[in-house]
Amino acid sequence: MEKKWIYALEELGKEHLDLVGRKCANLGEMTKLGMRVPPGFAISVDGFEEYMRATGLGARIASYFDSKGQDLRKSVRSQMDASRAAKEMMAETHLPDEMADAIVRNYEALCSRFCTKDMPVAVRSSGAVSMPGQMETYLYVRGASEVLSRVREVWESTFNTRAIAFRLEKRMPVDKAPIGVAVIRMVNARSAGVILTVLPTTGDTDHAVIEGNWGLGESVVSGDITPDNFIVNKSSLAIEPHVSTKTRWVVSTERGTTKADVPQHLRNAPCLEDREILELVRISVNVEKHFGVPQDMEWVIDRDLPFPENVIWVQARAAKYTPPRKEADNDYILDQMTRLFRQ
Amino acid sequence: MTTANGLDSAKLSAVVPGFEFDEKADLAQSPAWFLDGTHSVPPWTPLFGWFWINFCRHGMQYGAEKLSLPTVKGWDWRFKNGGGYLTLLLVKTEAEQRQREARFREAIRPFVEDYDALWQSQLTEILARYEDLKKLDLDKASNIEVLDNFEQTINVCRRMWEIHMYMMYGTFTAYILFENMCRNLLQIDDTHPLFHKLITGFDNKVLQVDKKIWEFSQRAAKMGLSEIVLTSEPMNIAKNIEAAPNGRDFMRDFRAFLDEDGWRMQRMSEMNMPTWIEDPSPPLTNMKQFLVKGGGFNLEEERVKLAQEREAAEKEVLARIAPEQKGWFTTLLRLAQKSGVFSEEHDHYLDLYMHAMMRRSALAIARRLAAAGTIGSVDDIFFIIPEEIRKVALAPEQFDLKPTVAARRAAWMEWCKTPNPPVILAEGFDMDQAMGVLVKSNDPIALKVVVGAMPVVRPELKADLHGTCGSPGVAEGPARVIMSEEELADVQPGEILVAATTSPSWTPVFSFIKGVVVDRGASLSHAAIVGREYGIPVLMNVFVGTQQIKTGQRIRMDTNLGALFILDK
């Protein structure tokens, strides 16, 4: 294959959305902004398409979908059947050696950068268009063969029933999906969580809010526990801490992650030091300035690295929030002023 | 018609070329033309009429267009016998209204988001332009420079009206919305005393000038000048003070104050009377009236009281507003409060100041034309128009404008004898229909300054006259009917002022009268705003007050009831 289809994150930026998908483009952009992100590489949309083409899998799936014709459009059952059939065809179809070698070479290069063998990585889907059911994330993937099968599983997720239904509904080709894959070093997470540079319920942009827990970030995002909450004034940097009792966390295992009880001595202790909080605020405010809109960012504190190298970012996107009351009020006034002239 | 010397006499007599009222064509364009009674009674001199018709007209259309008002494109104006006649330019199709609505919603935004910054930026711009005009030493300048100064003055006047009407349309839109909301949520409108309490108790530039004059009255008393002031006729006050031992210092400071704040004439919409800088008798007469009345500057004490009442009223009203409505209601309340301040300050900084600038520049040319014999006297300048000034300004001795001046002056004196009709209607079109057009326009200025609310007649009160409440309260005292600015000096403390309308240059008398009755007015007209700030009752839209009330008659006004009683008929 002539065309390049694997990229280091440092090569990427937000302009590469269509090439490598949103997740990878985003990580690349964050790298450009000088943020510490876990090192890794991206498999572009072309990689998926080459796999489908070189193995003949694409043609087989397309003809299968064609044979179903209008049934596929009408019945959920036949969409479920199609999903199962496509995934079975994929499971039987190995990567061409040349492609498998390329992925393994890149993984091993990443391992050797950290002088470890079988270094744990996260394998994440990176869609160029956001599509339901297509958000596969595999944590603590260890070893080359495991990486290869997880990459293929990410690709398989484009044939989830919901993803198929979505493409049918949007009148997109059913047998194709623009999907990239991110393979990044797993951070040995001491704590993790999110920071928003706006208070989402009030639209207050003078403050940032951090939520975090011990262990991996999944426990915070899933909403299973009440995380620690820190509200920070973005100009005075005054911290208002709300430390909660954290009973459960997500930790790594030999083959992935699991939920577990938080050790007693950590339950009521804040999961972040003040200097870490301030570092999170400092960087997120810079990112907010760069993009011009409030940010919603995911962070991890690495257990093995010293401060401030231990502050690592895995996600940055525009925050969703209720516009400030004042803005909503002004909009209401503008609407009413306009209506005045209709009397 | 062409005369023997080749001049077209019809063109020569046109005061505002292109905008002379043409009954046939103009009634075909619009069936109703209203006289601007507030500004063009008594009739304008030709030069002032030229400025007003050209640029007030332009400013209104500019303001309506800049804001993209959905239903109206400003007003059209015509000149007729010294009167300004206006009609509304309605947006003709619903489709265009919808398009304008979308743009309007964004164009009005700065008024809602940061009103103070907006008004300040406009003010800064226009004041800088005035300063530019003042830079030229008119006595030493060449004819070329003086004419150029006049041309610049025309441009600044044009810009003044743009700012004026853009700000006024936007400000009054906010005020009207607030009044609507009060009507819906609190069942009160802007003639209700509670409403007045909400928007009263604010300082503004016009009141600050009043206060400075009061301070001079205190200083005059301290310096032992009271006796001189009290015994002098208005035109002699300055002369007599200067003749006193320490009077020179006093007058020097008084003139310094006028250099700053004296860019105004007694009549707001005219330029043929001296400014306070040229003739300080009007403000010195106000100072004298303060001395007659004695006591403190009641406005100050009044404002403290009004501000407390306002805070109490705000509390009362907000308690009746649902929590989720409080945010926008408060924003609108603040905007409505600024409307009153804007109404007064814009008169000072825009109308009065600009007209003084026009007079300054026109007089400089007049002195040269009079010296060259082009015109007979300096005052003749008000009877020629810029087209003619351009024709003669660089080589004045070559031309004779005296016949033009004589013809126009004669015409003007005729205009002054015969009042202009309040409205000119097409055949088959009546006054109710004409008012209907005004209301339908939704034009914020037409609604809040021109039309106003109609008085409710309540036969059970057995009142002699009815009006609407411009400022709440009850007063009883002798009436003083004032038909023009010259009579202001006659007003005595404790009287009730009766007038057609009032102008910002009248404010100093508000501090010692008991109440005001005006024939026409709405809640944002001058008499209402100033009356509220001075805490005296104002009865508006009485229509025939100046005809039915005689100076000296005891009258009792109760604005809460909207009633006026003549006690000694």
Side-chain angles (χ1 to χ4, degrees):
Chain A
M1 178 183 178
E2 299 286 311
K3 204 168 168 189
K4 176 170 170 152
W5 56 280
I6 294 182
Y7 298 85
L9 292 181
E10 301 88 273
E11 294 178 81
L12 300 170
K14 60 177 185 287
E15 65 276 18
H16 299 112
L17 173 67
D18 291 335
L19 181 69
V20 291
R22 186 174 308 278
K23 182 98 204 166
C24 298
N26 219 312
L27 285 167
E29 185 70 18
M30 288 159 74
T31 314
K32 280 199 178 145
L33 290 180
M35 297 162 71
R36 278 179 294 275
V37 304
F41 60 94
I43 300 171
S44 77
V45 172
D46 298 326
F48 172 64
E49 282 176 2
E50 174 61 14
Y51 164 65
M52 296 291 272
R53 190 196 62 79
T55 57
L57 185 61
R60 287 207 302 284
I61 291 177
S63 76
Y64 171 82
F65 279 15
D66 279 349
S67 73
K68 294 289 158 193
Q70 281 305 308
D71 275 3
L72 205 54
R73 203 167 290 283
K74 286 180 202 136
S75 116
V76 178
R77 177 165 293 280
S78 98
Q79 288 166 11
M80 287 165 71
D81 290 345
S83 170
R84 196 171 323 99
K87 286 186 175 182
E88 272 167 17
M89 284 185 251
M90 273 188 119
E92 292 160 4
T93 313
H94 291 286
L95 257 76
D97 289 349
E98 194 192 337
M99 289 187 77
D101 287 351
I103 293 172
V104 170
R105 263 201 316 279
N106 274 277
Y107 171 68
E108 284 173 348
L110 193 60
C111 293
S112 61
R113 260 171 79 184
F114 290 86
C115 308
T116 45
K117 204 170 167 292
D118 294 345
M119 185 180 78
V121 290
V123 179
R124 294 175 182 264
S125 77
S126 176
V129 276
S130 115
M131 221 177 271
Q134 209 191 33
M135 316 219 297
E136 299 309 313
T137 289
Y138 304 98
L139 303 178
Y140 284 93
V141 179
R142 291 179 169 98
S145 72
E146 195 69 7
V147 168
L148 284 176
S149 63
R150 291 306 191 191
V151 167
R152 221 176 46 206
E153 279 171 52
V154 167
W155 285 345
E156 267 178 41
S157 69
T158 63
F159 292 104
N160 283 337
T161 309
R162 286 174 66 202
I164 291 173
F166 177 84
R167 292 203 289 277
L168 285 168
E169 195 190 313
K170 300 281 167 194
R171 312 225 159 239
M172 291 158 65
V174 190
D175 55 323
K176 287 204 181 78
I179 189 162
V181 186
V183 180
I184 53 179
R185 177 180 176 259
M186 204 62 223
V187 179
N188 186 7
R190 185 203 78 204
S191 328
V194 296
I195 179 167
L196 274 80
T197 60
V198 56
L199 303 191
T201 49
T202 61
D204 173 358
T205 51
D206 296 335
H207 292 85
V209 58
I210 296 171
E211 293 200 331
N213 189 16
W214 299 112
L216 282 96
E218 276 61 25
S219 66
V220 177
V221 181
S222 68
D224 287 347
I225 52 116
T226 305
D228 286 344
N229 170 299
F230 307 92
I231 293 174
V232 185
N233 184 313
K234 282 150 77 176
S235 42
S236 75
L237 298 178
I239 301 170
E240 192 190 307
H242 306 272
V243 178
S244 67
T245 304
K246 301 165 287 294
T247 50
R248 303 278 284 169
W249 64 349
V250 175
V251 289
S252 66
T253 61
E254 267 316 295
R255 292 179 59 85
T257 62
T258 186
K259 288 180 188 173
D261 287 338
V262 175
Q264 205 62 44
H265 72 281
L266 288 178
R267 288 189 177 187
N268 291 309
C271 68
L272 284 169
E273 295 173 24
D274 280 1
R275 59 178 185 167
E276 290 164 349
I277 291 172
L278 296 180
E279 179 71 358
L280 289 174
V281 171
R282 186 182 71 80
I283 291 171
S284 62
V285 166
N286 281 342
V287 175
E288 177 187 60
K289 272 187 200 140
H290 175 80
F291 288 112
V293 288
Q295 295 292 303
D296 173 350
M297 299 163 62
E298 291 174 21
W299 52 267
V300 185
I301 304 294
D302 192 305
R303 189 185 297 280
D304 306 326
L305 299 170
F307 179 84
E309 281 98 79
N310 63 346
V311 176
I312 289 169
W313 299 93
V314 290
Q315 174 74 279
R317 61 190 157 215
K320 290 197 175 82
Y321 63 99
T322 312
R325 190 70 221 180
K326 194 168 159 40
E327 252 172 59
D329 282 342
N330 286 353
D331 279 341
Y332 178 77
I333 291 172
L334 295 174
D335 288 340
Q336 295 303 315
M337 281 181 166
T338 309
R339 281 190 50 191
L340 266 187
F341 288 89
R342 289 204 177 185
Q343 288 166 356
Chain B
M1 195 192 354
T2 304
T3 54
N5 63 5
L7 284 173
D8 187 319
S9 69
K11 260 186 200 157
L12 191 72
S13 66
V15 167
V16 192
F19 298 108
E20 293 283 336
F21 189 76
D22 174 333
E23 186 143 342
K24 193 156 168 261
D26 291 332
L27 285 178
Q29 181 193 318
S30 164
W33 292 81
F34 300 88
L35 174 69
D36 176 7
T38 308
H39 302 107
S40 67
V41 175
W44 289 320
T45 55
L47 183 58
F48 187 82
W50 185 96
F51 272 100
W52 185 286
I53 297 291
N54 272 296
F55 299 132
C56 177
R57 179 182 182 279
H58 167 73
M60 299 199 84
Q61 293 181 25
Y62 170 95
E65 202 53 29
K66 181 147 170 135
L67 286 168
S68 187
L69 296 180
T71 51
V72 66
K73 294 192 171 187
W75 304 2
D76 202 358
W77 286 79
R78 293 291 180 274
F79 184 84
K80 180 182 161 63
N81 297 346
Y85 280 87
L86 59 100
T87 197
L88 284 103
L89 297 171
L90 301 178
V91 173
K92 288 184 173 159
T93 67
E94 198 142 308
E96 192 181 359
Q97 288 187 12
R98 295 291 163 269
Q99 285 171 2
R100 290 176 71 87
E101 262 180 19
R103 287 200 302 271
F104 167 79
R105 194 182 178 283
E106 288 314 303
I108 192 79
R109 190 183 280 277
F111 287 82
V112 178
E113 288 185 344
D114 197 347
Y115 184 89
D116 292 336
L118 179 66
W119 176 220
Q120 205 49 52
S121 71
Q122 307 284 301
L123 212 50
T124 306
E125 180 196 327
I126 201 71
L127 291 176
R129 286 176 186 258
Y130 296 156
E131 287 312 312
D132 271 354
L133 292 178
K134 285 195 246 171
K135 272 183 198 150
L136 184 66
D137 182 337
L138 291 169
D139 291 329
K140 288 188 186 142
S142 67
N143 282 353
I144 291 174
E145 289 168 325
V146 171
L147 178 61
D148 183 63
N149 183 268
F150 186 69
E151 299 286 6
Q152 296 310 322
T153 303
I154 290 174
N155 291 337
V156 174
C157 179
R158 185 170 183 275
R159 182 63 189 142
M160 181 282 284
W161 280 115
E162 290 181 352
I163 291 173
H164 185 299
M165 291 306 175
Y166 165 65
M167 285 304 301
M168 195 171 222
Y169 268 134
T171 306
F172 286 10
T173 298
Y175 178 91
I176 291 172
L177 179 59
F178 179 67
E179 190 198 359
N180 273 14
M181 289 302 182
C182 284
R183 211 179 279 133
N184 294 340
L185 299 175
L186 305 164
Q187 287 76 48
I188 59 171
D189 68 9
D190 73 347
T191 63
H192 193 283
L194 180 60
F195 186 97
H196 291 153
K197 282 186 186 162
L198 286 175
I199 58 170
T200 306
F202 293 98
D203 200 7
N204 68 52
K205 180 66 190 176
V206 178
L207 302 178
Q208 286 159 13
V209 172
D210 293 357
K211 178 157 188 230
K212 282 190 196 166
I213 296 176
W214 176 80
E215 284 165 355
F216 274 107
S217 79
Q218 299 306 293
R219 199 168 141 200
K222 225 179 251 168
M223 292 169 74
L225 295 166
S226 301
E227 195 56 31
I228 294 170
V229 176
L230 288 169
T231 55
S232 301
E233 286 302 305
M235 70 270 245
N236 297 326
I237 301 176
K239 197 177 69 192
N240 294 345
I241 292 177
E242 270 174 339
N246 47 4
R248 247 170 214 290
D249 289 351
F250 180 89
M251 277 314 293
R252 188 198 57 225
D253 292 349
F254 197 78
R255 285 187 202 280
F257 149 64
L258 292 180
D259 275 343
E260 178 82 26
D261 293 327
W263 294 96
R264 55 203 264 179
M265 289 165 267
Q266 284 299 86
R267 187 175 163 196
M268 183 167 83
S269 323
E270 193 35 282
M271 57 191 286
N272 63 348
M273 296 173 86
T275 60
W276 285 5
I277 293 171
E278 295 169 59
D279 173 12
S281 344
L284 286 168
T285 303
N286 296 146
M287 189 181 82
K288 176 178 166 181
Q289 284 159 329
F290 279 126
L291 285 171
V292 171
K293 181 184 142 269
F297 185 62
N298 52 354
L299 183 61
E300 202 96 306
E301 302 147 24
E302 197 58 43
R303 187 168 321 115
V304 174
K305 194 185 102 203
L306 290 173
Q308 283 165 355
E309 284 180 9
R310 182 184 72 230
E311 279 156 27
E314 283 184 9
K315 221 174 251 173
E316 178 190 336
V317 162
L318 285 173
R320 288 159 64 185
I321 302 287
E324 66 275 15
Q325 296 175 325
K326 272 186 185 142
W328 59 256
F329 186 88
T330 308
T331 303
L332 271 181
L333 169 65
R334 300 284 170 254
L335 279 171
Q337 290 168 339
K338 291 175 204 297
S339 304
V341 176
F342 165 79
S343 290
E344 289 306 295
E345 294 205 327
H346 94 271
D347 280 336
H348 177 88
Y349 289 115
L350 300 181
D351 304 61
L352 290 165
Y353 210 131
M354 183 67 231
H355 298 156
M357 289 290 113
M358 280 149 50
R359 180 178 168 87
R360 175 181 182 273
S361 191
L363 285 183
I365 289 185
R367 286 191 289 275
R368 290 169 196 233
L369 299 191
T374 322
I375 55 178
S377 71
V378 167
D379 273 2
D380 285 351
I381 195 77
F382 306 117
F383 297 92
I384 58 178
I385 59 174
E387 285 83 347
E388 290 151 356
I389 289 173
R390 288 176 183 132
K391 188 172 137 192
V392 306
L394 296 188
E397 78 292 347
Q398 303 286 318
F399 302 95
D400 182 8
L401 286 176
K402 290 191 283 288
T404 308
V405 169
R408 290 243 183 79
R409 194 186 279 275
W412 179 70
M413 286 164 82
E414 279 307 306
W415 301 341
C416 291
K417 277 187 220 153
T418 334
N420 273 311
V423 59
I424 301 174
L425 299 171
E427 225 173 273
F429 203 77
D430 65 24
M431 192 59 188
D432 283 349
Q433 288 170 297
M435 292 307 263
V437 173
L438 279 187
V439 173
K440 196 178 131 214
S441 73
N442 283 315
D443 184 289
I445 299 176
L447 294 178
K448 278 301 132 192
V449 185
V450 184
V451 187
M454 289 300 127
V456 182
V457 175
R458 297 164 67 179
E460 74 276 12
L461 297 176
K462 297 194 168 55
D464 294 290
L465 294 165
H466 292 88
T468 59
C469 177
S471 167
V474 181
E476 188 179 319
R480 170 67 64 176
V481 184
I482 291 283
M483 298 305 281
S484 76
E485 295 75 15
E486 288 87 350
E487 297 169 276
L488 271 182
D490 301 334
V491 179
Q492 300 300 316
E495 290 181 335
I496 293 174
L497 180 70
V498 181
T501 60
T502 68
S503 140
S505 49
W506 296 25
T507 45
V509 305
F510 276 65
S511 70
F512 54 80
I513 54 178
K514 279 192 175 168
V516 180
V517 178
V518 284
D519 288 349
R520 295 305 303 270
S523 43
L524 286 178
S525 47
H526 168 260
I529 296 165
V530 180
R532 292 195 291 264
E533 291 305 334
Y534 277 94
I536 58 171
V538 177
L539 195 63
M540 303 182 302
N541 269 357
V542 177
F543 288 89
V544 291
T546 53
Q547 290 167 39
Q548 306 229 333
I549 303 168
K550 306 275 172 283
T551 292
Q553 275 181 325
R554 280 196 80 73
I555 57 175
R556 178 181 162 77
M557 57 190 291
D558 184 334
T559 61
N560 305 323
L561 299 174
L564 187 141
F565 306 88
I566 301 175
L567 302 175
D568 45 357
K569 274 177 266 192

